[in-house]
Every structure is written in C-alpha cells, then in structure tokens.
C-alpha cells in the first residue's frame, strides 16, 4: 500500500524556527521525525548569532542524522552516532569554553520508523522529550503511542498562573521572573546522566522511550511537537480524533492555520510561558503516492 507523507514546520517568530519536521522514505521504511528545539534561556547566542544557537543545533543534528540513517543502524545507535560530530563542531566553535551550561542547546525528538510487515506496518518508536505520536486505526480508534507527561510543564504553568495573580501581565516580565527556574532546569537537562532530552554531551546513553507497535493496514500516524499539539491539550480546539480528521481531510497547513489564528486572538490571555510556539508535524496515511518531504527552517 502506498502511503502519503506530509510535513509542516512553522516558527512562532519570523526567521527563527527552532523546530524541524522530516518525512522521508529510506531502504528501511518510512522515516517520520519531529525535532523540537527548546527555547534558549541564555541572554545571547554564542555559536550562531544570525539564526540562533538552537536553530544551529537542530539543523546540524538533522543533517548528520539523515546521513546516518542510510547506514542501517538501529535508532538509538543512529542518534548517538549523529550527536558526536555535532558536539565536536560545538567544541571547535568554542562552545565548551565559552557557553555556560544553561545556554547549551537541547531539543525533543520523536522518530517513527515504519517497516512493511504482512498487510500492515511495524512501527519502531524512539522518543526524547515531549513530542506526541498518535495512531488512527482503520476502525477510527486513536491511540497515543508514547504517553508522556512532562512534570516540568505543570510546574511552569503553576508559576505563570501565580505571577498573573500577582498582576504580572507583561509576557516579557513574566519570562524574566521565570528565568532563574528555567536556567536551573536547563543545567540539569544538559548535565544529568542518561538525559531524556537530546543534548550535545550525553553522560551515558540517552534515556529514550522506545517501543515497537504493529499498525494494521490503513492506519495513519501523526507525529507532533508540543507547539502543534496545543490544538488539543492546551487550547481544546480539537480532540485527537477531530485533529486527525482535519489533517487527513484538509492537510497539515489547515490545522496550522487554526493554531496561529487562535494564538493571535488569545495572546493577551495566554497562561503559558510563550503565547505562541514553533509548531511542527508529520502525517503518514494511505494514499495513491508517497512523496518524501522535509519542513523546517532549522535545516536551512
């Protein structure tokens, strides 16, 4: 069965998209990836003052990983092999010497490899961080293939709510008040053994969530950054099922347009740190033809 591949990636700020979405076909199967660079908590960019350090990191890693994919490695081996030259380049650019730990870029990554098996597909999942992977089966059931709750998100939301109760309405001022907490968290993510984030210098193996799932023939997969999934879990504009129906029926751009319109209309009342976020998604579903695609300014 031929599969349709579609990817979309949109930055919340012009020319500074820290996400990347890839949907392509390799000799191992269909490769579906979303990389969500974490917003920097540094005062400035150290490695790439034009595009930003996070964009540099995401783009460098994605470029190497796409090359490594062709070697036929397992996902955990490919990720570890891909990060090594990126870290080496970071060192060459003075990162080890000049960049404080809280300013080292990190990212979330969700990667689905779909291999043909019988009439359906076998899905190999690899996840770091808080992207979302949903599957819709031919009978209409929607499953979250990688249930994950980021405990830090609840802490940040509670602090944002507390600041608003204090009368701190300006987003820039709220972010400034949150900065010490955010920086302390970023240091942990960059230095902890077995990091569950994609970071430059993992102290041991990445603590990725992995799974193998059988997808019946006719199933569809939607991989999303947390910015795109705000349509469901933050704004309540969709259920997982209605989001699938929109994306399959009208395309990922239609869903993205809804997201941006809602963010623009509710910006002043936002209860999250960022009133708008970079948003990326990859869609995979039965179709007449499969077209590899690649979306995201980070890889430019």
């Amino acid at each position: 069965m031929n599969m349709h591949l579609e990817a979309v990636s949109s930055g919340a700020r012009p020319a500074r998209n820290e996400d990347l979405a890839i949907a392509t076909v390799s000799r191992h199967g269909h490769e579906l990836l979303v990389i969500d660079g974490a917003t920097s908590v540094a005062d400035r960019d150290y490695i790439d003052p034009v595009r930003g350090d996070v964009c540099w990191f995401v783009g460098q890693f994605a470029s190497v990983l796409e090359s490594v994919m062709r070697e036929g490695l397992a996902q955990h081996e490919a990720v570890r092999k891909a990060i090594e030259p990126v870290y080496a380049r970071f060192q060459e650019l003075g990162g080890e010497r000049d960049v404080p730990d809280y300013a080292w870029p990190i990212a979330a990554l969700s990667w689905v490899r779909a291999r043909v098996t019988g009439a359906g597909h076998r899905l190999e999942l690899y996840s770091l961080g808080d992207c979302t992977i949903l599957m819709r089966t031919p009978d209409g059931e929607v499953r979250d293939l990688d249930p994950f709750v980021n405990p830090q998100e609840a802490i940040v939301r509670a602090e944002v709510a507390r600041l608003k109760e204090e009368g701190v309405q300006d987003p820039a001022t709220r972010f400034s008040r949150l900065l010490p907490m955010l920086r302390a968290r970023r240091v942990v993510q960059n230095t902890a053994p077995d990091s569950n984030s994609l970071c430059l210098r993992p102290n041991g193996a990445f603590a990725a969530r992995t799974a193998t799932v059988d997808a019946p023939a006719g199933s569809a997969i939607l991989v999303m950054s947390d910015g795109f999934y705000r349509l469901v879990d933050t704004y309540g504009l969709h259920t997982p099922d209605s989001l699938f129906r929109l994306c399959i029926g009208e395309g990922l751009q239609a869903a993205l347009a809804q997201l941006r319109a809602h963010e623009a209309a509710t910006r002043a009342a936002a209860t999250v740190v960022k009133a708008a976020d970079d948003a990326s998604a990859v869609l995979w579903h039965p179709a007449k033809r499969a077209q590899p695609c690649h979306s995201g300014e980070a890889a430019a």
Side-chain angles (χ1 to χ4, degrees):
M1 177 182 293
N2 289 326
M3 304 297 290
H4 170 81
L5 292 171
E6 182 180 351
V8 67
S9 189
S10 165
R13 296 178 294 167
R16 194 55 85 93
N17 182 7
E18 296 168 346
D19 279 9
L20 191 142
I22 303 170
T24 191
V25 181
S26 75
R27 60 190 178 95
H28 316 292
H30 297 97
E31 310 284 2
L32 322 173
L33 296 96
V34 169
I35 306 173
D36 180 0
T39 301
S40 176
V41 293
D43 293 323
R44 66 182 180 89
D45 291 300
Y46 293 82
I47 301 301
D48 189 336
V50 177
R51 292 190 307 149
D53 291 355
V54 180
C55 288
W56 174 87
F57 174 54
V58 171
Q60 289 278 316
F61 175 77
S63 177
V64 178
L65 182 62
E66 287 191 271
S67 177
V68 170
M69 276 182 197
R70 294 192 285 269
E71 299 180 17
L73 300 175
Q75 289 164 303
H76 70 278
E77 294 174 318
V79 170
R80 188 58 190 243
K81 185 170 183 178
I83 203 65
E84 292 172 357
V86 181
Y87 174 53
R89 181 59 178 154
F90 182 72
Q91 290 177 298
E92 290 173 4
L93 295 172
E96 191 98 49
R97 180 186 66 251
D98 300 329
V99 184
D101 286 342
Y102 65 77
W104 285 38
I106 65 170
L109 162 69
S110 280
W111 176 6
V112 178
R113 173 175 282 164
R115 300 179 185 266
V116 176
T117 174
H121 289 81
R122 178 153 295 166
L123 310 177
E124 299 169 4
L125 279 55
Y126 180 100
S127 297
L128 291 165
D130 55 2
C131 296
T132 297
I133 304 172
L134 300 181
M135 177 173 72
R136 187 176 191 272
T137 58
D139 61 6
E141 177 190 7
V142 177
R143 293 172 52 193
D144 185 343
L145 299 184
D146 179 36
F148 175 73
V149 177
N150 184 352
Q152 187 67 17
E153 187 70 19
I155 294 171
V156 173
R157 287 176 185 270
E159 186 63 15
V160 170
R162 188 187 68 79
L163 290 172
K164 291 192 75 172
E165 288 179 0
E166 284 186 12
V168 182
Q169 301 296 330
D170 177 60
T173 303
R174 286 204 301 265
F175 184 77
S176 177
R177 293 278 296 273
L178 290 167
L179 200 53
M181 178 180 71
L182 298 175
R183 285 182 171 178
R185 172 61 179 166
R186 194 59 54 85
V187 171
V188 170
Q189 291 171 299
N190 271 310
T191 60
D194 305 322
S195 178
N196 62 3
S197 299
L198 182 67
C199 60
L200 280 161
R201 189 185 57 194
N203 295 318
F206 283 115
R209 304 182 303 279
T210 60
T212 301
V213 178
D214 286 328
S219 297
I221 302 295
L222 188 56
V223 187
M224 297 163 282
S225 66
D226 62 346
F228 194 93
Y229 200 57
R230 284 185 178 196
L231 284 163
V232 175
D233 70 351
T234 302
Y235 304 134
L237 300 177
H238 285 281
T239 65
D241 179 64
S242 69
L243 181 59
F244 251 115
R245 285 188 276 110
L246 172 64
C247 292
I248 293 174
E250 301 183 37
L252 293 175
Q253 286 289 350
L256 180 63
Q258 284 192 9
L259 173 69
R260 294 304 187 214
H262 181 80
E263 287 173 336
T266 61
R267 193 175 300 272
T271 58
V272 289
V273 176
K274 294 178 285 187
D277 196 5
D278 300 340
S280 298
V282 173
L283 177 65
W284 176 86
H285 67 88
K288 292 182 179 180
R289 296 186 63 186
Q291 295 293 336
C293 48
H294 189 296
S295 182
E297 295 170 25

